[in-house]
Every structure is written in structure tokens, then in C-alpha cells.
Amino acid sequence: MFAASGAVLAQEPAAQATPQQPVAAVASPQAQAAEQLDVARKNLARLADQTKNAADDDSRLAELKVEVDAATKQIISISVATRPRLDEIKARLAELGDPPADGAPPETDVVAQERKRLLAERGEINALTGTAEDLSIQATKLSNGITATRRALFSNTLLKHTDINGPMVMDAMASLTLERQAFSRTVGSWLTFAWNFKRLQLLSALFLSLCAAIVLLAGTRKLFFPLIHREALGEEPGYITRLSVAFWSTMIPTAAMAVFAATSYFFLQAFKVLRPDIAPIISITLAICVALLFVSTLSNAVLAPKQSAWRLVRVSNRGARLLALSIFAMAVVNGLDYLAGTISEVMGSPVVLTVVKSLIATIIIGVILMAMSLIKPIVPAGETPDGQGKPWPRAVSLLFVSTGILLILAALAGYVGLARFIATQIVMTGAILVTMYIGILTGKAVAKQNALADTVVGRYLEKRFGMGQVALDQTGLAAGLGIYVLVVLFFIPLILLQWGFQIADIEAWAYRIFTDINIGSIKISIVGILAGILLFAGGYVVTRWFQRWLDGNVMARSRVDTGVRNSVKTGIGYLGIGLAGLIGISAAGFDLSSLALVAGALSLGVGFGLQNIVSNFVSGLILLVERPFKVGDWVVTGTTEGFVKRISVRATEIETFQRQTIMVPNSLFINASVGNWTHKNKLGRSDIPVIVSYNSVPRQVMDTLLQIAAAHPLVLKNPEPQAVFTAFGDAIMTFELRVYLADIVNGNGVRNDLRLAIYERFKDEGLGAPFPKEELEPEPLPPGPEADALALQAETAGPPVPAEGAPLPAEAFKRSGTQRRPRRVSVDGAADKD
């Protein structure tokens, strides 16, 4: 054996030495990783140089941070790609074992060479890993440095101090004249150039922008007219209607204006009409128009100066007009300040001119805030909005005054950037927060039960699509959740942009949220989860379609037995849903090996005596999936009967007719027969046995029973009631009245009513008296000697006394050969559920 092994080992060097291609193939991953790391090193150096050059540009720094983070991930992925080969090398070295110790027999050359080659390759991989770690550390430092630079840049912008004095203001005035002349020349030259050399492109861009405006105006009016037009919704709007109109009348025009502004700028750029010095001015002008429309529509939606019935806050008509005018004035001043700042930046004006412009705008906004404290908008209780109104509460008035004074003092003290930032947030962030609040209230109101049905949209859906109350409630819930999602996804990024964050930051955060959420060692991807849900839904739909196709086309034409068809259909359904579930779980990013660990733990638990718990747990899952009964159903299992109140994974809660709560293990519902009176629907049959004597006419009894059933309002006409002659007795006849009820739960009351009606009708008509009848005395004999003799004999002898426990003899019921009739005739409700 050892000789053979030595021969094999002796042949391996020749086999490895002759073809050198396998060795190159093994080394190629390391070489490729080294090349990728070299590219990453050069990329990091380039990004570092660009970061130094863009130290004053916050937007460019945000973009560079995204690139640095992407480079960091790439470096880490390069290092991770070498780990499988490193694990293989470690496993092979473990198989080869340690080198022989001193004095031990030497190992073969083949083993020594292989160990040497594996050690060299491991060292190469370790070196690559170390290089990747160094580059990763450099990238992390660069990313942190960019973040620190941006933070310092933001702080310096806000807290930068400028001396406000007379010479500075005079320099600004002189610079203003030069800027106005330069701006006039720039705009004039651009218009002349565009009209003389770009006339067709300019007119085309304007025409397409006008077409976009007309399409947006007509489309929004046609699609959203019922949501935003107050005159078409009535004069007495409800709370939900006012909220929804306020929200949508703000969102829809603002979104339409934003789309129009974006398309207009796109067309002007696409036709190369804009010059680099004109493009920033046009873009900020369009953005200011969108912001002014947003603030204006929001203030009109909330305050409704001309329509007090639609007002969301209780203020007077005069107060609503003054507040709306003040808010719009602050928005205009703030927008003009940004436009003037952009013009100064494009024209290359001195910084002092921008500072003075912002100083003037901040002082004006501060004065407007203090003037708002003098408005008297409060409507006293019991008065109409047409009155004069009362002043603000002291706290609100002090807030307006203190905020205005703070803005003016900060600007005059030289902190113009901080004052300008606060003034902008008062207008824009305040408007965004108010809109978010209205949107949340709208979603909450729409999602309430029976709320959507009372709105114009609900009535339209009910009329157009025939939706019922349940469908409208579900639609309202979905609409409420949709409004919540819209508010979060649309307004939170706007607030972040207002507070100095860049679009690149928001994109990076959104990418991390949707693709890479780390909880300990577990990574969750929302995109992956959504993809898994969509794949599972697709697999479920395909499975149901294949079931119907196979059952209706293949097996139906093959004349397969119904039971076999049902079994095959059910098996395919379970198989398809199981495969769809596995595909969905894999697409969502969950490791299926963890499911194996869970299954192993469950098996171990079952082995230690948890069979009943596991059985009830699995049975509960089956009940929840198959739904043989649901909460509110009337079920019968064994000796337990009642209504289902709750279904959990271990037991089902049953409430009996005596209001007793019984917890029934779920395994009993799976392993035993279960009756469900209300499984598919509540339609059911109720039976009432009726026992009469032979002196009744059967057909008359049956007709009377049918008449009684037909007269009851809860007895269905289709299926129609039935009166059945069920049995002959020794001295009685048994009939059965069978009636169908739309709600079998009402069976007790209906049966009680029918019994009373049967009692009264049979008593009035003398139909065998289906009720206790006093017939204890025998029929009297005609007067004569025989009657007197029998009476005397009965008085002296008395009735025979039977032994204890023995039945009474038949003679005890006879008088002169006449047998006593039964003591009573009863109506028995064997199917009653009293």
C-alpha cells in the first residue's frame, strides 16, 4: 500500500510541472484582485484631490462623499472575494499537517512543494487583505473628513460675522449700481443672441412649455376637479371634506407647477437656449415661483379668507385675510432675497452687496412678524367670523414679537446668514410642517370606519363601481395609508433640503434604508422584501391559474374521478404555494439554513415531550390558513357548541349559549368532526316536531303548519317551508315543520314564535291539541245499574297497589273497558338550540 502511494506521489510533480496552465489559473484571482486594488488606490487619490479643490462647495462635497462610500464598498468586496480561496488553502494545509519535526523521517518532495506553494499563496492573499484594509481605512478617513468639512462649512455660513457700518452700506450701494448695469447687459445680450441666432429653438421651447402647461391645467382640472373645487362640493362641508380639500388643493397645483417648471427648464436646456450665466437665474426664478404658489395655496386652503365654511382654523374673516397676506408677503420677500443673491453670485458682485440685500430682507420679515402680533383674528365662542375679532393670546403675541426682534437684532449684529436662515425656515419649513399635519389628519380621517362613504369620492365610487360598505371601508383604509406614505416620502426630503442637506445625501440615505439595514449581524433589504412579496404573489397567481387549467381542461376531458381531481388540485396548490414561498423567502434575502436550525430546534422540542403543544400549534396554523371557521361562526364539536370568539395558534375560544367561555385545543378541531352552522353563509333550516292525536286530520294539520310558517316574516319563501308527516305512534301522529332562515342564529326566536302560533291555531281550530290536555277522568258511563255497581266496587276495593319500582298495570288506566287517553301531547323541539 505504501509503495503504491509513493508511486502516485512520485507521479504528481511531473503532472504538475508539465502543464503550467493550472498554476496560472490558481494565481489569476490574486492577480486580478491586485489590479482592482491598484485601480481603487488611484481612484481614492483622485477623490482626495477633488475634495481639496471643492472645499467651499457643499453640493460637490456631498457628491464626492457618495463616491468615496462607493469606493469603500468596492474595496471591501475585493477583500471578501479572496476569503473562499483562503479557506480552501487553510483546509488543505490542515490535511497536509505540520512539517516533520527534527529527527523525524522527511516527507516526500511533492508534499513539501505543495505546502510551500500553499503557504506562498496564503501569504499573497494576506498581503492583498492587508492592502485592502489600508485602502479601506484611507477611504473611511476621507469620508469622515468630507463630513467634517461640510459641517464646518455649514457652521461658518450660518455663524459668519460681518460688521454692519456706514461705509459697508455705501460700498454695497455703489456695487448695486454696477450690478444692475451688468445684469441689464447680460440679460439684454442673451435675449438679442437668442432672438437672432436661436429664434426657432427659443420659440420651440416656449411652445412646448406652453403645451405642457395646458396639458397639466386640463389634466388636473379633469382628474382632480372634485377634490379641489369647493363650489362643486356643497356649501356645508364636513370635517373630512375640508381636510381633504385643503390637502389636495395645496398638493395638486404645487405638483403641477413643479412639473411645469421642470419641463420648461428642460426644454430650454435641451434646445441649448440658456447660457451658463443665465441658467442659474432662470432655475432660481422657476423654483421661487413654485415656492410662492405652494405658500399661497396652503394659506388659502387653511385660512380660506373668502369662504369661512371651508376654514380649518377658527379665525375671523378679516383676520384670515390679513394672515394670508402677511404669510404671502414674507414668502415674496424671502424669494426675492434668494433671487437677488443668485444674481449677485452670477454677476460676480462683492459679498457686501449680498449681505446688505439679506439684511434688508431679514428686517422686512421681522417687521411683518411683529405686525402679525397686532392682528385680532380670534373669534369668541358663540360669535360669527364676520365680527371684529379679539387679539391673539398673550403667549402667541409675545412669540411673534420676540421672533421678529430676534431676527432684526441678529441681522444688525452682523449674523446676517443666521438671520436669513431662520427667516427662511419660518416661511418654508413652517409651510411644509403645516401641510404634513393636514395630510396626516386627512389620512387619519379617511381611514376611519364609515368615513369614506360620506364623502364625494365615496359616493362616486359607490355609484360608479357599486362598492358596498365593506369595500369602501377597505378603500378608505388603503387611501389613508397611501396619504401617510405620500407625506413621509415627499415632505421629509423637502425639510432636509431646507436644513442644508443635499440631494446626494438623501439619495444615499434612501439607498441604505431600502437596500442595507443592519440589525446586529442580520441585514435586511426593503427592496428585497418587496421583491420577495411580488414573487410570492406571482407564484400564487400562477399556481391558482394552473390549478384551474389542469382541472378544467386536462382532468375534466379525461373523465377523471371527482375525488382524484380534487386531490390532485389540492396537492398542486400546496406544492405551488410552497415553492412560491421558498422563492419569495430567498429573494427577500433570508438564509434558508436558519429555517433548518428552527426545524431542528422544533424536532428536539417535540422529542422532549412537546408533542401536544406542537400539534396544537400546527393545527392552529392550519385553521388560520384553511379557515374552516372564523370568528363569529356557530360551531359544534363533541359536546361543545357555541360561537367562535378568538382563534389563536394554541386554542380556540368558544362562547356557549349560556355565556360560558371554553378554550378548545386546536388539535380537536383538526382530528374530530366539526359542525359549522355559518360556514359559507348563515342560511339554515330549523325543524319543529309536532305531535297530535289520531282524531286530527293530517292534511289539515300540514296545511295549518304551512300557513303558520308563511305568516312569519323571518321564514324564507325560497326555499319554501315544508310540513312532513314523519311517523305513526301507538296513540299519536308525528309531524315536522321545516323552515329556512336567512340567519340561523335567529333560530331560537323564530322557533319560539312558531310554537306559540301553533299552540294558538291548534287550540282555536281543535286540531288534536298539541299541548297538555286534562283527560285524567274516564268517559262517564250512561246512568243505570251497571254504572252504580262499578262505582260501589271501586270505592270499596280501591286501585291495586303495585310493588315498589314496578310499572302500573294496564288495568289502572281502564274504566269499563275504556282505556285512558294519554295525559298530555307535547311539542318537542329536538333541534332547538336553547
Side-chain angles (χ1 to χ4, degrees):
M1 181 182 295
F2 292 104
S5 300
V8 173
L9 292 175
Q11 293 175 359
E12 285 187 359
Q16 292 182 356
T18 302
Q20 297 297 328
Q21 187 64 27
V23 176
V26 172
S28 60
Q30 284 75 31
Q32 184 179 2
E35 294 178 359
Q36 293 175 350
L37 290 177
D38 186 58
V39 172
R41 182 184 294 106
K42 295 178 180 178
N43 187 30
L44 279 180
R46 178 183 61 83
L47 293 174
D49 294 337
Q50 293 182 359
T51 301
K52 294 179 181 178
N53 297 329
D56 297 331
D57 189 353
D58 185 67
S59 60
R60 179 55 183 162
L61 288 175
E63 296 175 357
L64 290 174
K65 179 174 172 55
V66 174
E67 295 183 16
V68 171
D69 292 340
T72 304
K73 292 183 178 180
Q74 182 182 7
I75 293 170
I76 294 175
S77 64
I78 294 172
S79 176
V80 171
T82 60
R83 292 179 183 175
R85 179 55 186 166
L86 183 62
D87 294 336
E88 293 177 1
I89 292 174
K90 291 181 179 179
R92 181 55 181 163
L93 289 174
E95 293 178 358
L96 294 178
D98 298 330
D102 295 338
E107 60 185 359
T108 60
D109 294 339
V110 174
V111 175
Q113 292 177 3
E114 184 177 4
R115 179 183 289 106
K116 182 178 179 180
R117 179 179 61 80
L118 292 175
L119 291 175
E121 188 175 355
R122 186 180 67 178
E124 184 179 356
I125 293 176
N126 290 333
L128 291 174
T129 303
T131 303
E133 290 179 356
D134 293 339
L135 292 177
S136 177
I137 293 173
Q138 294 179 15
T140 303
K141 289 182 178 180
L142 181 59
S143 178
N144 295 335
I146 293 175
T147 302
T149 302
R150 293 185 61 199
R151 188 180 295 112
L153 184 62
F154 181 75
S155 301
N156 293 334
T157 303
L158 290 183
L159 302 178
K160 184 178 180 180
H161 183 267
T162 304
D163 293 331
I164 306 297
N165 48 42
M168 189 268 291
V169 175
M170 298 302 297
D171 293 342
M173 293 298 103
S175 300
L176 179 62
T177 303
L178 298 176
E179 181 187 274
R180 181 178 56 81
Q181 296 174 356
F183 180 72
S184 300
R185 289 195 303 269
T186 301
V187 174
S189 63
W190 171 68
L191 291 176
T192 302
F193 173 79
W195 184 256
N196 293 333
F197 301 100
K198 296 278 188 177
R199 182 181 305 174
L200 181 60
Q201 293 88 335
L202 177 62
L203 293 178
S204 299
L206 295 177
F207 174 75
L208 291 176
S209 300
L210 182 61
C211 291
I214 294 174
V215 170
L216 286 172
L217 181 62
T220 53
R221 181 176 180 82
K222 183 176 180 59
L223 294 176
F224 305 106
F225 184 80
L227 296 177
I228 62 178
H229 201 271
R230 296 174 177 174
E231 286 74 9
L233 297 175
E235 298 181 356
E236 296 294 335
Y239 178 69
I240 299 178
T241 304
R242 284 185 291 158
L243 280 176
S244 61
V245 169
F247 181 71
W248 294 114
S249 63
T250 302
M251 289 293 299
I252 294 172
T254 303
M257 183 63 186
V259 174
F260 169 69
T263 53
S264 300
Y265 186 79
F266 170 76
F267 289 136
L268 291 174
Q269 284 281 39
F271 286 101
K272 300 185 183 304
V273 177
L274 297 179
R275 291 190 327 210
D277 55 345
I278 297 296
I281 299 175
I282 298 298
S283 63
I284 193 64
T285 302
L286 293 174
I288 290 172
C289 292
V290 175
L292 290 178
L293 179 64
F294 169 61
V295 175
S296 175
T297 53
L298 176 62
S299 60
N300 288 326
V302 175
L303 298 172
K306 299 180 180 180
Q307 295 173 309
S308 59
W310 292 88
R311 199 166 296 156
L312 295 180
V313 292
R314 186 173 175 80
V315 295
S316 63
N317 294 337
R318 182 174 180 274
R321 290 193 296 269
L322 293 177
L323 287 174
L325 181 61
S326 301
I327 294 171
F328 183 73
M330 287 193 296
V332 170
V333 172
N334 193 56
L336 292 178
D337 180 27
Y338 273 89
L339 178 60
T342 303
I343 293 175
S344 298
E345 183 179 355
V346 172
M347 297 296 104
S349 301
V351 178
V352 293
L353 180 57
T354 303
V355 172
V356 171
K357 290 177 181 178
S358 299
L359 174 65
I360 296 173
T362 303
I363 293 175
I364 294 175
I365 293 176
V367 172
I368 293 175
L369 285 172
M370 289 188 293
M372 290 175 64
S373 65
L374 302 177
I375 299 175
K376 300 178 179 180
I378 304 300
V379 178
E383 296 185 8
T384 61
D386 299 331
Q388 183 68 24
K390 291 185 176 181
W392 294 102
R394 179 174 295 274
V396 177
S397 180
L398 289 177
L399 178 63
F400 282 132
V401 173
S402 60
T403 304
I405 294 176
L406 178 64
L407 287 177
I408 296 174
L409 292 179
L412 295 177
Y415 296 99
V416 179
L418 178 61
R420 180 186 182 189
F421 179 79
I422 295 175
T424 302
Q425 304 317 313
I426 290 175
V427 178
M428 297 307 300
T429 304
I432 293 172
L433 290 176
V434 170
T435 308
M436 289 183 65
Y437 183 67
I438 295 175
I440 292 172
L441 290 180
T442 303
K444 183 179 180 180
V446 171
K448 288 183 178 180
Q449 191 173 5
N450 302 328
L452 185 62
D454 296 333
T455 62
V456 175
V457 177
R459 290 191 289 270
Y460 172 78
L461 293 175
E462 184 178 4
K463 181 179 178 181
R464 177 67 176 82
F465 301 101
M467 288 187 174
Q469 186 63 48
V470 177
L472 288 175
D473 286 341
Q474 294 175 349
T475 304
L477 180 60
L481 294 177
I483 293 174
Y484 290 153
V485 174
L486 175 64
V487 168
V488 171
L489 295 182
F490 185 78
F491 288 105
I492 289 182
L494 286 180
I495 293 177
L496 294 177
L497 290 175
Q498 289 294 321
W499 283 79
F501 295 94
Q502 300 295 327
I503 297 178
D505 299 325
I506 300 174
E507 291 177 349
W509 292 339
Y511 179 79
R512 292 177 183 176
I513 291 174
F514 285 99
T515 59
D516 190 11
I517 300 177
N518 295 324
I519 302 178
S521 60
I522 301 175
K523 291 186 178 181
I524 299 176
S525 172
I526 297 179
V527 175
I529 293 175
L530 294 177
I533 293 174
L534 291 177
L535 287 175
F536 175 76
Y540 181 82
V541 172
V542 171
T543 300
R544 292 307 185 196
W545 170 83
F546 183 73
Q547 281 181 294
R548 290 193 299 268
W549 177 82
L550 182 65
D551 183 63
N553 293 275
V554 178
M555 291 189 292
R557 297 180 183 182
S558 303
R559 297 181 180 179
V560 179
D561 181 73
T562 305
V564 176
R565 290 171 57 181
N566 183 69
S567 299
V568 172
K569 182 179 178 180
T570 304
I572 290 176
Y574 284 126
L575 178 62
I577 293 175
L579 291 176
L582 291 177
I583 294 173
I585 292 173
S586 300
F590 293 100
D591 189 4
L592 295 179
S593 61
S594 60
L595 297 180
L597 294 176
V598 174
L602 288 176
S603 301
L604 183 61
V606 171
F608 277 102
L610 300 179
Q611 293 92 339
N612 291 334
I613 296 177
V614 174
S615 176
N616 290 324
F617 177 78
V618 176
S619 300
L621 295 179
I622 295 174
L623 292 177
L624 293 173
V625 173
E626 290 189 352
R627 300 190 68 190
F629 53 83
K630 59 184 180 298
V631 174
D633 281 356
W634 175 5
V635 297
V636 182
T637 174
T639 59
T640 304
E641 181 176 6
F643 295 100
V644 178
K645 290 299 181 182
R646 182 173 176 268
I647 303 174
S648 62
V649 294
R650 190 197 67 83
T652 299
E653 181 180 331
I654 305 294
E655 185 180 272
T656 65
F657 299 102
Q658 291 78 24
R659 303 298 181 184
Q660 180 188 18
T661 299
I662 300 177
M663 306 301 296
V664 181
N666 290 326
S667 58
L668 296 181
F669 288 103
I670 298 298
N671 300 325
S673 299
V674 181
N676 190 344
W677 285 89
T678 56
H679 179 48
K680 298 296 184 182
N681 51 57
K682 294 186 178 182
L683 177 67
R685 194 185 81 181
S686 185
D687 302 340
I688 302 177
V690 179
I691 301 173
V692 300
S693 61
Y694 277 101
N695 61 357
S696 302
V697 181
R699 294 189 181 278
Q700 185 180 1
V701 172
M702 295 171 61
D703 293 339
T704 304
L705 291 176
L706 292 177
Q707 293 173 9
I708 293 172
H712 199 283
L714 296 182
V715 174
L716 297 178
K717 304 299 186 293
N718 185 18
E720 62 182 6
Q722 298 176 355
V724 182
F725 191 167
T726 58
F728 293 97
D730 293 337
I732 57 174
M733 295 182 294
T734 304
F735 294 83
E736 195 171 75
L737 177 60
R738 300 172 180 174
V739 295
Y740 291 89
L741 306 177
D743 189 354
I744 192 63
V745 178
N746 298 326
N748 282 340
V750 174
R751 285 189 294 271
N752 185 65
D753 295 341
L754 292 176
R755 290 192 190 100
L756 290 173
I758 292 171
Y759 179 90
E760 294 170 354
R761 284 286 299 275
F762 276 43
K763 184 176 181 180
D764 294 341
E765 299 181 8
L767 291 177
F771 48 83
K773 185 175 182 181
E774 294 296 336
E775 293 183 310
L776 298 176
E777 298 298 330
E779 295 182 0
L781 294 175
E786 183 179 0
D788 297 336
L790 288 175
L792 180 59
Q793 180 181 358
E795 290 178 2
T796 56
V801 179
E804 184 178 358
L808 292 175
E811 289 76 11
F813 296 94
K814 295 182 180 180
R815 296 293 186 272
S816 300
T818 302
Q819 185 175 356
R820 289 183 57 186
R821 293 187 178 93
R823 177 177 177 85
R824 69 183 185 90
V825 183
S826 62
V827 179
D828 186 12
D832 295 355
K833 301 294 182 283
D834 299 330

